[in-house]
Amino acid sequence: MKKITSGGLTLLTYVIAILFFFPILWIFITGFKTESEAINIPPSLFFKPSLENFQIVWEAGIGGFFANSVFVTLASTVIALLLGVPAAYALALLKVKHKDDILFWIISTRFLPIAGIIIPLYLLFKNVNLLDSLLALILLYAGMNIPLIIWMMRSFFNDVSFEIIEATQVDGASGLQAFFQVVLLLVRPGLVSTALLSMVFAWNEFFFAVSLSYTNAATLPVYMASYMTQEGLFWAKMSAAASISILPVIILGWFTQRQLVRGLTMGAVKG
Amino acid sequence: MQATENKKRTSNQPPVKRLIWPSAIYLIIMTQIPFLITIYYSFQDWNLMRPDQGVVFTGLANFKNILTSSSFYQVFGNTVLLTTAVLVICFLLGFAFALLMNRNFFGKGIVRTIFITPFFVMPTVSAIVWKTLMYNPNFGMSSYFAHVFGKAPIDWLSAHPLLSIILIVSWMWTPFFMLILLAGLQSLPAELIEAAQLDGANKMGQFIHVTIPHLFRYIEVVLLLGLMFILQVFGEIYVTTAGGPGYASTNLSFLVYRIGFQNWDIGEASAVGVLTVILTIIMMLFMFRLLRRMFREEQS
């Protein structure tokens, strides 16, 4: 009896997981169908997969937006890491006055609604001719990810035993040398997950992107939103474009899984 | 513990302290100063479509306009309803699924992986999938099921715009709740359960007296962080309903966008922005109190 209940619960788990995944799976499948197959009801399960939609979408220029997304995501993450990781190190391992207050102030900037700052930012970038530029988005996404990086990395640095750092200093290494040669190596898995998670956030960001970019600097979320308005009737092509937009970040997300709980709770909870 | 504290103090070399400044200055420029300017703009009468009128100081006129218009209260209500409904749905589903996942079974790792995937999909694409696959009145799943049950298909996005958005956002955020509550369940020490069993507690008793109290801080964390993110829902609304019909599915974030980037009314958009931030700060204070308590536990 117990075995049957347990098997039933496992089956239920599978079914719910598949239901949750279904819309994404459907997007991936529909991208390989023809337009008429895409809107068949009931849905056609057997069809000849074709890469035609991907080819059409690529020729229509999704590549440029893809490149924008990649560049903005990488550049903003690098800036955020360069600024955030040293700050996290200082806040975790060194005695800093008002440490808690600084940490809370930092996280409060992450949760400040974009709605509360978008108007001046728009006017500012307009005045310095940076509207519709990748630089504007890079600067803002770096700012958006610094708090995440500080909080997450702080929690990884906290796990480093202080004796190890102490030992490097006895060997005559300076504080910064110790940081690069020992500490950074120890937190490398955490550092990688932190970087990947900030990439996920940058890749998917939409409010800044849609307010500050139009054609040159538009990233994939903006492109997809305009695709929906203009060609929302072409489901197969839209699915192909959507697949291209979400696949990279889904893969990144899968790689961050192990540290995801810690990352998403800003290090408050260890998963 | 005391010894580590002392060691931390001895190696407190001055140059390292400066490591905090670059981040702090960057955040001040990118977030704090723009917010101060938003406050300043909220007292101005300034419409980008009417450059002839220029920028005129109007005191509290923008706030008065907003707080006396019925659409603002509708939007405020939408924001509260959207956020609360999503939190409740995500919590219940996430908790139920975390309980299901907190067992040993074949393929657990893969199930976990595919279950969290919706969380990584960009909001605009999630919205597109739901708008076409689910809600489309001619070819979507909703119409298919309507036919199966012999009912006339409805256009969900115009008939129930806010509910439609609630479902999309819940779909995206349930994995987040599941993950964190699952982490809580898995961190439950086996001794606690054993002790409860020795005391003769049944399954239900264990759950209420051992599991739930242990999960309490995880529940707090997940609800507060979820709240902060879900308050800012934007892309889903932009793509599906554009806030309509009327203001039926506009939340505060999207209202700022509508006033600022569709009507180009800088003053009024800033005023709504300020009100949004005030609402968020009130929520944030609750969160900080919670996190501070956790800090103290961590340090003791």
Side-chain angles (χ1 to χ4, degrees):
Chain A
M1 183 61 204
K2 208 169 181 187
K3 221 168 183 178
I4 297 173
T5 326
S6 166
L9 285 177
T10 304
L11 191 68
L12 181 67
T13 317
Y14 290 157
V15 170
I16 298 176
I18 290 168
L19 278 179
F20 257 79
F21 189 63
F22 176 74
I24 299 164
L25 184 68
W26 204 245
I27 279 274
F28 287 144
I29 293 174
T30 309
F32 293 97
K33 291 183 175 180
T34 64
E35 291 297 346
S36 61
E37 281 166 344
I39 54 170
N40 265 358
I41 284 207
S44 45
L45 289 175
F46 302 99
F47 60 95
K48 206 169 137 254
S50 116
L51 285 172
E52 199 192 336
N53 296 316
F54 290 90
Q55 201 186 339
I56 294 171
V57 170
W58 195 262
E59 275 160 13
I62 197 177
F65 301 98
F66 192 89
N68 283 348
S69 272
V70 170
F71 187 65
V72 167
T73 301
L74 291 180
S76 65
T77 303
V78 168
I79 296 175
L81 285 172
L82 287 176
L83 292 169
V85 173
Y89 178 68
L91 286 164
L93 289 169
L94 304 165
K95 190 187 155 256
V96 178
K97 263 191 216 163
H98 308 298
K99 198 190 245 187
D100 287 10
D101 295 327
I102 297 174
L103 274 166
F104 283 117
W105 172 73
I106 286 171
I107 203 179
S108 76
T109 63
R110 175 65 179 85
F111 290 120
L112 184 72
I114 293 175
I117 55 175
I118 188 69
I119 302 287
L121 288 171
Y122 171 81
L123 293 168
L124 173 81
F125 286 121
K126 190 179 167 193
N127 283 334
V128 293
N129 275 326
L130 280 179
L131 271 192
D132 205 13
S133 76
L134 294 176
L135 183 61
L137 294 182
I138 291 169
L139 292 174
L140 289 171
Y141 292 177
M144 179 177 85
N145 277 327
I146 285 174
L148 174 81
I149 287 170
I150 292 181
W151 271 68
M152 213 169 150
M153 286 312 295
R154 173 195 151 273
S155 116
F156 288 112
F157 283 132
N158 272 343
D159 292 349
V160 176
S161 140
F162 195 75
E163 278 69 31
I164 295 175
I165 301 162
E166 191 89 313
T168 61
Q169 286 176 347
V170 175
D171 293 345
S174 73
L176 275 179
Q177 261 176 312
F179 174 68
F180 281 112
Q181 289 174 354
V182 183
V183 184
L184 221 46
L185 215 63
L186 284 171
V187 296
R188 202 172 51 185
L191 187 65
V192 171
S193 326
T194 307
L196 292 181
L197 194 60
S198 42
M199 286 184 204
V200 171
F201 278 112
W203 185 273
N204 289 345
E205 201 287 329
F206 182 64
F207 199 162
F208 281 136
V210 78
S211 313
L212 302 175
S213 65
Y214 309 106
T215 47
N216 292 327
T219 51
L220 285 171
V222 179
Y223 176 71
M224 286 313 300
S226 67
Y227 204 95
M228 180 72 214
T229 345
Q230 287 158 18
E231 322 217 17
L233 290 173
F234 300 100
W235 286 18
K237 282 178 209 65
M238 199 168 63
S239 298
S243 303
I244 296 173
S245 309
I246 62 176
L247 195 60
V249 82
I250 287 179
I251 292 169
L252 284 188
W254 285 345
F255 277 114
T256 60
Q257 262 204 81
R258 275 185 49 218
Q259 308 292 352
L260 196 59
V261 173
R262 203 196 277 216
L264 292 174
T265 59
M266 315 282 159
V269 167
K270 286 167 194 175
Chain B
M1 191 63 226
Q2 195 54 46
T4 358
E5 240 352 83
N6 286 338
K7 275 183 194 165
K8 280 193 185 187
R9 255 165 232 167
T10 52
S11 81
N12 185 17
Q13 281 131 0
V16 192
K17 252 190 216 170
R18 283 184 222 143
L19 294 174
I20 300 169
W21 280 110
S23 290
I25 293 168
Y26 196 90
L27 290 174
I28 289 171
I29 296 173
M30 286 297 161
T31 64
Q32 315 286 277
I33 294 177
F35 178 56
L36 291 178
I37 303 175
T38 304
I39 298 177
Y40 173 75
Y41 285 164
S42 70
F43 298 119
Q44 313 293 324
D45 186 12
W46 183 6
N47 192 318
L48 290 184
M49 300 295 273
R50 299 294 305 271
D52 52 305
Q53 291 177 342
V55 187
V56 187
F57 179 81
T58 56
L60 292 170
N62 288 320
F63 289 96
K64 207 178 141 206
N65 280 343
I66 294 161
L67 293 172
T68 51
S69 76
S70 63
S71 60
F72 176 77
Y73 293 97
Q74 191 186 359
V75 169
F76 184 80
N78 289 342
T79 311
V80 173
L81 185 63
L82 171 72
T83 314
T84 321
V86 172
L87 280 178
V88 170
I89 294 174
C90 286
F91 179 75
L92 293 177
L93 283 181
F95 199 9
F97 205 71
L99 287 172
L100 281 176
M101 288 293 289
N102 191 31
R103 302 159 51 249
N104 283 319
F105 58 87
F106 176 75
K108 190 173 168 181
I110 294 173
V111 169
R112 188 184 131 138
T113 302
I114 66 168
F115 190 75
I116 60 170
T117 309
F119 185 72
F120 297 118
V121 175
M122 54 181 71
T124 47
V125 167
S126 302
I128 288 172
V129 183
W130 280 72
K131 189 173 182 172
T132 52
L133 176 67
M134 299 291 175
Y135 295 143
N136 186 296
N138 299 317
F139 314 109
M141 287 287 159
S142 65
S143 78
Y144 176 69
F145 282 111
H147 283 300
V148 169
F149 292 109
K151 293 205 169 94
I154 53 163
D155 185 356
W156 274 73
L157 284 170
S158 52
H160 308 287
L162 197 59
L163 177 65
S164 304
I165 289 166
I166 287 171
L167 292 177
I168 302 176
V169 181
S170 302
W171 175 70
M172 294 177 67
W173 283 90
T174 300
F176 170 80
F177 281 66
M178 184 279 287
L179 263 182
I180 287 160
L181 294 172
L182 180 62
L185 287 171
Q186 284 172 342
S187 70
L188 185 67
E191 303 92 68
L192 275 182
I193 298 278
E194 280 161 23
Q197 277 167 345
L198 284 179
D199 291 345
N202 59 10
K203 279 253 148 94
M204 200 61 201
Q206 283 170 34
F207 187 72
I208 292 170
H209 297 295
V210 182
T211 311
I212 296 281
H214 171 79
L215 275 185
F216 195 66
R217 63 182 281 180
Y218 289 83
I219 293 173
E220 284 181 309
V221 167
V222 83
L223 285 178
L224 282 168
L225 284 173
L227 174 71
M228 304 305 298
F229 284 111
I230 293 159
L231 268 178
Q232 297 204 43
V233 163
F234 180 83
E236 295 87 334
I237 298 174
Y238 183 101
V239 172
T240 49
T241 63
Y247 286 91
S249 58
T250 301
N251 69 354
L252 283 168
S253 286
F254 200 71
L255 184 63
V256 172
Y257 183 83
R258 283 178 77 161
I259 302 176
F261 295 97
Q262 287 170 1
N263 303 343
W264 298 103
D265 189 333
I266 298 299
E268 207 173 305
S270 300
V272 177
V274 171
L275 293 172
T276 310
V277 171
I278 291 172
L279 178 73
T280 311
I281 287 175
I282 296 171
M283 306 289 184
M284 213 144 43
L285 289 176
F286 280 104
M287 186 171 78
F288 284 176
R289 207 185 294 167
L290 161 77
L291 287 171
R292 247 181 225 285
R293 212 173 61 224
M294 290 185 177
F295 263 29
R296 263 181 234 127
E297 285 167 24
E298 189 182 285
Q299 278 160 6
S300 60

